[in-house]
């Protein structure tokens, strides 16, 4: 039996007992660790299963994307003009544990990855998850968090490295302890927590973050319902749902205002920010979901078309880490 997820679940209760000074380390200084070191830290925490280093357990679906009529007013990106695109969607559980139970607290946040395939064969990717924010402002601190988790097992001396980390990083503590419990992959909001710069044909520019809102609304479980749900409840539910009928997500751009944090994904923008509808994603069938398909499929955050630029330094670092992880899956 894989006992790794039992250890991971205990981290949430450990996080709740961590000390809390009010110091927030939210800087976007120069990166000191390498993409390979970040991937190694994920393996140290979750084990190396020759699968994805994080969000290892997932399911692939297919569908289409229809741009909203006003989307071209915000960017000249090809997939946000008038033509429809095919989409490949992967919903997933957090951690690098391929058999983590869906009803483990450590399976949160849930992941959403989208590959848009345009008529000319070009692609662009978006990666998000079901929490509005990232636990740390940069990849170095994320690596520190992972290593603190790995070093803070039940037999570790108190205060543990995780206790100390969360005591000085309250945003990470909030991330670990306030996750939503989804009834379905299809009925929870997802957030692209990193910022991008949109440019129109006329040269107008805006900073944005993506949000994905289920047309059927957000439906969550109570803690008791979550605990009683089966280890495959999300996988089984999404298969049954898409077999009956398509389901849809509205894709929005949240527009930054002056003073909003562009380079720090750990700071969510105010909920009052304007949200512009970019289009509708309709998911209508399962993909083959063979191990070969899952290993070959990758989503690179800086795979973006003309009219969109990365605005958060973490994006380019993450995009360098993904190929390292892809190579290790084989």
């Amino acid at each position: 039996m894989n006992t790794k997820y039992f250890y991971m679940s205990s981290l949430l209760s450990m996080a709740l007992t961590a000390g809390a000074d009010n110091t927030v380390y939210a800087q976007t200084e120069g990166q000191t660790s390498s993409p390979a070191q970040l991937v190694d830290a994920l393996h140290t925490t979750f084990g190396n299963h020759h699968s994805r280093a994080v969000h290892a357990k997932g399911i692939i679906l297919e569908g289409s994307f229809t741009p909203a009529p006003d989307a071209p007013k915000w960017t000249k990106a090809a997939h946000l003009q008038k033509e429809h695109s095919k989409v490949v969607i992967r919903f997933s559980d957090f951690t690098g544990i391929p058999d983590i139970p869906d009803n483990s607290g450590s399976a949160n946040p849930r992941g959403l990855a989208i590959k848009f395939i345009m008529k000319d064969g070009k692609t662009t990717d978006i990666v998000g998850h079901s929490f509005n924010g990232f636990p740390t402002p940069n990849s170095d601190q994320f690596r520190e968090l992972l290593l603190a988790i790995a070093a803070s097992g039940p037999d570790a001396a108190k205060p543990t490295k995780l206790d100390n980390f969360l005591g000085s990083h309250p945003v990470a503590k909030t991330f670990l302890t306030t996750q939503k419990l989804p009834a379905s992959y299809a009925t929870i909001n997802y957030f692209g927590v990193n910022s991008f710069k949109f440019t129109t044909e006329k040269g107008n520019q805006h900073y944005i973050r993506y949000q994905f809102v289920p047309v059927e609304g957000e439906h969550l479980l109570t803690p008791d319902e979550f605990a009683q749900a089966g280890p495959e409840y999300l996988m089984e539910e999404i298969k049954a749902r898409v077999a009956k009928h398509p389901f849809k997500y509205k894709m929005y751009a949240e527009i930054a205002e002056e003073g909003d944090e562009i380079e720090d994904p750990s700071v969510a923008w105010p909920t009052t920010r304007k949200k512009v509808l970019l289009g509708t994603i309709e998911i209508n069938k399962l993909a083959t979901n063979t191990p070969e398909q899952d290993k070959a499929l990758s989503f690179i955050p800086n795979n973006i078309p003309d009219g969109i630029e990365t605005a958060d330094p973490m994006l380019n670092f993450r995009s360098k880490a993904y190929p390292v992880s892809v190579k290790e899956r084989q």
Side-chain angles (χ1 to χ4, degrees):
M1 177 184 292
N2 187 340
T3 60
K4 189 75 172 180
Y5 67 83
F6 290 110
Y7 161 62
M8 288 299 302
S9 294
S10 70
L11 294 172
L12 295 178
S13 58
M14 289 165 60
L16 283 168
T17 63
D21 69 25
N22 294 318
T23 307
V24 180
Y25 298 92
Q27 74 274 2
T28 53
E29 298 173 350
Q31 191 72 32
T32 59
S33 59
S34 70
Q37 288 175 316
L38 176 59
V39 174
D40 285 344
L42 289 162
H43 291 326
T44 298
T45 306
F46 306 128
N48 188 346
H49 306 279
H50 299 287
S51 61
R52 282 173 165 79
V54 70
H55 289 282
K57 183 180 181 180
I59 187 167
I60 306 166
L61 298 97
E62 298 176 356
S64 63
F65 173 73
T66 303
D70 287 345
K73 296 179 181 179
W74 296 90
T75 175
K76 59 184 177 181
H79 65 300
L80 297 176
Q81 304 307 301
K82 295 181 179 181
E83 292 188 346
H84 294 213
S85 301
K86 294 180 181 180
V87 292
V88 176
I89 306 282
R90 188 177 186 272
F91 294 108
S92 60
D93 293 349
F94 187 60
T95 84
I97 305 169
D99 60 351
I100 188 170
D102 294 343
N103 65 336
S104 166
S106 299
N108 291 310
R110 312 300 162 152
L112 170 67
I114 309 168
K115 185 176 292 293
F116 300 81
I117 306 172
M118 290 162 269
K119 288 186 176 180
D120 61 2
K122 293 180 180 179
T123 66
T124 184
D125 302 330
I126 298 178
V127 177
H129 64 204
S130 58
F131 187 88
N132 190 9
F134 200 72
T136 63
N138 56 45
S139 297
D140 275 344
Q141 289 188 28
F142 184 51
R143 179 173 176 268
E144 291 176 28
L145 171 59
L146 292 168
L147 294 176
I149 290 172
S152 301
D155 297 327
K158 302 291 185 179
T160 66
K161 289 187 177 181
L162 181 62
D163 292 334
N164 292 332
F165 185 92
L166 296 181
S168 58
H169 296 75
V171 172
K173 181 178 179 180
T174 298
F175 182 92
L176 287 178
T177 59
T178 62
Q179 294 287 339
K180 295 178 180 179
L181 307 176
S184 168
Y185 285 129
T187 57
I188 189 168
N189 296 336
Y190 294 92
F191 303 86
V193 298
N194 299 107
S195 304
F196 293 85
K197 183 167 71 175
F198 274 12
T199 302
T200 68
E201 287 287 359
K202 295 182 179 180
N204 297 325
Q205 296 180 334
H206 295 86
Y207 290 102
I208 71 98
R209 288 177 178 171
Y210 295 109
Q211 292 189 7
F212 301 88
V213 178
V215 170
E216 298 177 37
E218 188 170 59
H219 300 282
L220 305 174
L221 300 181
T222 66
D224 286 343
E225 290 171 334
F226 182 72
Q228 294 170 18
E232 301 295 318
Y233 86 94
L234 288 175
M235 298 292 169
E236 293 169 355
E237 193 282 336
I238 203 70
K239 291 176 183 177
R241 178 184 293 266
V242 77
K244 293 178 181 177
H245 55 76
F247 60 96
K248 298 179 180 180
Y249 264 87
K250 296 291 186 181
M251 174 175 158
Y252 292 91
E254 182 183 26
I255 309 299
E257 295 183 9
E258 186 175 355
D260 288 341
E261 291 283 357
I262 304 301
E263 298 186 350
D264 185 349
S266 70
V267 179
W269 296 345
T271 57
T272 53
R273 292 295 175 261
K274 181 176 182 178
K275 296 175 181 62
V276 175
L277 180 64
L278 297 177
T280 302
I281 298 169
E282 180 176 290
I283 303 169
N284 54 36
K285 67 176 182 179
L286 281 174
T288 58
N289 279 282
T290 62
E292 293 77 16
Q293 182 190 28
D294 195 44
K295 284 188 175 184
L297 182 62
S298 63
F299 303 87
I300 309 298
N302 68 357
N303 175 27
I304 47 180
D306 186 36
I308 303 177
E309 300 174 51
T310 59
D312 181 344
M314 181 185 285
L315 278 166
N316 291 326
F317 184 88
R318 287 176 62 189
S319 296
K320 293 176 182 177
Y322 277 64
V324 176
S325 176
V326 169
K327 183 180 294 186
E328 293 184 358
R329 297 178 203 168
Q330 310 311 317

